[in-house]
């Protein structure tokens, strides 16, 4: 199934290698199609994690808390530039020291409405909290949480977070505690 005029995203095999393109909505309707995605987690000048509550208008996981920004690669080319562009579109800010952390594959079904089937790259970077401005078409709210407070929230309120974020956060948290982020932010 393909819906006319929908944005195209990259389909892939289990190794994340491009196999073609498909419409964004078509990739997410049941039974779903494996596709490439990315997730960015930003850390502010006070070492807090930037979180977003997804717009209530979203087809999948509306009003759930999640990572700073996530989307799909839409073309071949420089992936970091695509991540930066989407951060600007969703959060109105730039990420300094943006770096790739790891890649993982997951599948998660949302009610009977759709599914995520992604090979997802995780990126981390820094930003200034005063520059973050949510795009209301994408995001209903922004929160800033310390890694410790976020760990507590995920344990006590895990069902209010997106499934990909609950899977990726332990990988990112481990990375943040072992290696300092590159790039600084202006105060």
């Amino acid at each position: 199934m393909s819906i006319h005029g929908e944005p195209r995203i990259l389909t892939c095999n289990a190794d994340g290698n491009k196999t073609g393109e498909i419409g964004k909505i078509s990739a997410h309707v049941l039974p779903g199609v494996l596709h490439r995605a990315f997730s960015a987690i930003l850390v502010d000048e006070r070492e807090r994690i930037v979180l977003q509550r997804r717009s209530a208008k979203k087809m999948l996981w509306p009003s759930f808390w999640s990572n700073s920004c996530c989307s799909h690669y839409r073309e071949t080319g420089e992936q970091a530039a695509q991540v930066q562009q989407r951060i600007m579109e969703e959060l109105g800010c730039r990420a300094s020291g943006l770096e790739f952390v790891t890649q993982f594959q997951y599948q998660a079904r949302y009610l009977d409405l759709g599914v995520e089937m992604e090979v997802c790259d995780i990126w981390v970077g820094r930003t200034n909290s005063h520059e973050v401005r949510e795009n209301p078409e994408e995001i209903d709210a922004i929160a800033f949480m310390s890694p410790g407070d976020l760990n507590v929230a995920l344990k006590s309120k895990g069902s209010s977070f997106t499934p990909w974020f609950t899977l990726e956060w332990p990988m990112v948290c481990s990375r943040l505690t072992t290696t300092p982020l590159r790039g600084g932010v202006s105060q």
Side-chain angles (χ1 to χ4, degrees):
M1 176 177 135
S2 184
I3 299 168
H4 182 70
E6 65 185 307
R8 308 292 288 174
I9 61 175
L10 305 179
T11 60
C12 65
N13 61 24
D15 294 325
N17 298 318
K18 179 182 174 183
T19 58
E21 293 184 356
I22 190 170
K24 179 181 169 188
I25 296 170
S26 300
H28 293 92
V29 295
L30 295 169
V33 175
L34 187 62
H35 57 276
R36 291 297 312 275
F38 61 82
S39 178
I41 296 178
L42 301 180
V43 180
D44 78 355
E45 68 280 1
R46 293 174 49 196
E47 302 302 317
R48 299 174 302 178
I49 308 303
V50 179
L51 299 172
Q52 68 162 276
R53 188 175 65 215
R54 293 167 56 82
S55 169
K57 301 172 192 172
K58 294 281 189 180
M59 181 177 114
L60 303 177
W61 290 275
S63 302
F64 279 68
W65 285 96
S66 198
N67 49 294
S68 308
C69 173
C70 56
S71 192
H72 305 90
Y73 295 116
R74 296 183 187 216
E75 56 197 46
T76 56
E78 225 287 281
Q79 293 177 334
Q82 291 183 58
V83 176
Q84 281 282 14
Q85 179 181 349
R86 192 64 187 161
I87 290 169
M88 183 61 75
E89 291 169 1
E90 286 194 16
L91 299 169
C93 63
R94 291 199 45 80
S96 64
L98 189 64
E99 58 187 90
F100 173 81
V101 174
T102 192
Q103 182 180 85
F104 72 107
Q105 182 178 337
Y106 76 99
Q107 180 173 338
R109 183 175 174 152
Y110 182 70
L111 307 173
D112 287 332
L113 299 176
V115 64
E116 286 288 7
M117 291 178 62
E118 296 182 338
V119 174
C120 186
D121 292 347
I122 303 172
W123 295 79
V124 296
R126 291 192 167 279
T127 197
N128 286 306
S129 60
H130 68 276
E131 294 177 356
V132 175
R133 301 285 182 269
E134 67 265 19
N135 175 343
E137 292 299 312
E138 299 289 335
I139 301 170
D140 282 342
I142 295 289
F144 300 88
M145 294 184 82
S146 72
D149 288 345
L150 181 52
N151 286 332
V152 170
L154 283 165
K155 285 182 181 161
S156 64
K157 300 175 186 171
S159 63
S160 63
F161 290 88
T162 59
W164 59 90
F165 183 64
T166 61
L167 291 169
E168 71 192 22
W169 173 246
M171 293 179 259
V172 172
C173 190
S174 172
R175 161 62 179 75
L176 293 175
T177 58
T178 59
T179 309
L181 284 177
R182 292 182 297 122
V185 291
S186 56
Q187 298 290 328

